[in-house]
Amino acid sequence: PDNVDEQPQEIIRDADIAMQYAKKNSRGKHLYFAPEMYQRTIERIALENELQGALGRNELFVMYQPIFQLDTNTITGFEALARWKHPQKGIISPAVFIPLAEKTGMIHALGMWVLKQACMQMQQWQQIYPSNPPLALNVNLSVTQFDQENLLDNIQQILFESGLSASSLCLEITESAVMGNPDKIRPLLNQFKALGMQLFIDDFGTGYSSLSYLQRLPLDGI
């Protein structure tokens, strides 16, 4: 056909791109290559490269979503959410850049940066707006971050530097992180709990949900 690339390496490249799309979007099926697949792949690679330097260029920032106690209509804490303000593309959804950070391994540095910024901010808010119990901070942990050997040490160091109590920190863990290997993750969750942190399952019910496993894990809620 007229739209088939003449160079063998280009044909192989396009076939590989179509295969990756088929694996991601329609498992057990096949897809024909389309030029827009190549264009989106180029854009994704460019975005990956730009994300590598986004922290150093101060393009990443943290937003805080309030958490309300419905029966008293009071704010009990905030969830820290990473955002990326791209100089040309504007605000990029975390649904786009978090998977890129996980793929490139940048999620470790990004996750600890968000945690540090959020802990420092929450410690200041607790001083300005004292309450009983103190305002709580919810921070998401990516499934990829659990592969980080010194994850617990890094979190403890950030709490020490910020002055925030571990009891004010609530870690939100995706269901996939817990259900992917519950026996492996349980010891680390127990260590988090031993320090006084709260643990919640995020996005529960979006994947394989096992209530029996939840009962065996040291969780505070979903």
Side-chain angles (χ1 to χ4, degrees):
D2 293 337
N3 62 343
V4 174
D5 297 316
E6 295 182 355
Q7 297 299 319
Q9 62 269 26
E10 293 178 346
I11 296 175
I12 295 174
R13 177 202 67 196
D14 294 345
D16 183 67
I17 291 174
M19 179 185 67
Q20 297 303 323
Y21 267 82
K23 286 182 176 180
K24 182 178 180 181
N25 302 311
S26 56
R27 299 188 70 86
K29 299 180 181 180
H30 68 274
L31 289 177
Y32 289 103
F33 172 79
E36 55 266 25
M37 291 181 182
Y38 175 70
Q39 182 59 37
R40 286 197 292 267
T41 299
I42 293 299
E43 292 173 356
R44 176 181 55 76
I45 293 174
L47 207 59
E48 286 180 6
N49 294 333
E50 292 170 343
L51 181 59
Q52 293 293 330
L55 264 178
R57 295 190 298 269
N58 296 317
E59 295 172 6
L60 294 165
F61 63 100
V62 182
M63 294 186 68
Y64 298 90
Q65 179 171 285
I67 300 172
F68 281 89
Q69 182 76 29
L70 293 179
D71 57 352
T72 60
N73 197 33
T74 57
I75 294 177
T76 60
F78 293 86
E79 179 179 0
L81 302 168
R83 292 293 183 266
W84 181 12
K85 188 175 182 181
H86 192 280
Q88 284 80 43
K89 298 180 174 67
I91 300 297
I92 298 178
S93 168
V96 173
F97 74 82
I98 292 297
L100 294 181
E102 291 176 335
K103 180 181 178 182
T104 60
M106 187 186 169
I107 191 64
H108 302 305
L110 174 59
M112 291 301 100
W113 178 83
V114 170
L115 180 63
K116 185 174 184 178
Q117 298 298 312
C119 285
M120 293 174 64
Q121 180 64 78
M122 182 53 65
Q123 201 276 339
Q124 293 179 11
W125 281 342
Q126 286 183 349
Q127 292 182 339
I128 298 173
Y129 308 106
S131 62
N132 186 25
L135 291 170
L137 172 65
N138 288 38
V139 178
N140 294 283
L141 277 186
S142 162
V143 58
T144 312
Q145 288 180 266
F146 283 92
D147 295 329
Q148 190 176 353
E149 293 183 1
N150 55 348
L151 176 61
L152 181 62
D153 292 338
N154 287 341
I155 293 177
Q156 286 184 282
Q157 181 64 28
I158 289 173
L159 289 172
F160 174 76
E161 292 177 358
S162 65
L164 186 71
S165 170
S167 61
S168 295
L169 179 60
C170 174
L171 299 178
E172 295 193 11
I173 307 163
T174 59
E175 180 188 16
S176 58
V178 174
M179 297 307 175
N181 196 337
D183 294 328
K184 176 182 177 181
I185 201 175
R186 186 186 298 111
L188 184 56
L189 297 184
N190 286 330
Q191 290 178 301
F192 287 148
K193 288 296 295 181
L195 292 174
M197 303 176 200
Q198 295 187 67
L199 301 173
F200 282 77
I201 294 295
D202 193 21
D203 295 332
F204 181 76
T206 58
Y208 174 74
S209 307
S210 174
L211 293 176
S212 62
Y213 270 124
L214 289 184
Q215 293 175 338
R216 293 162 52 188
L217 295 170
L219 302 172
D220 296 284
I222 58 176

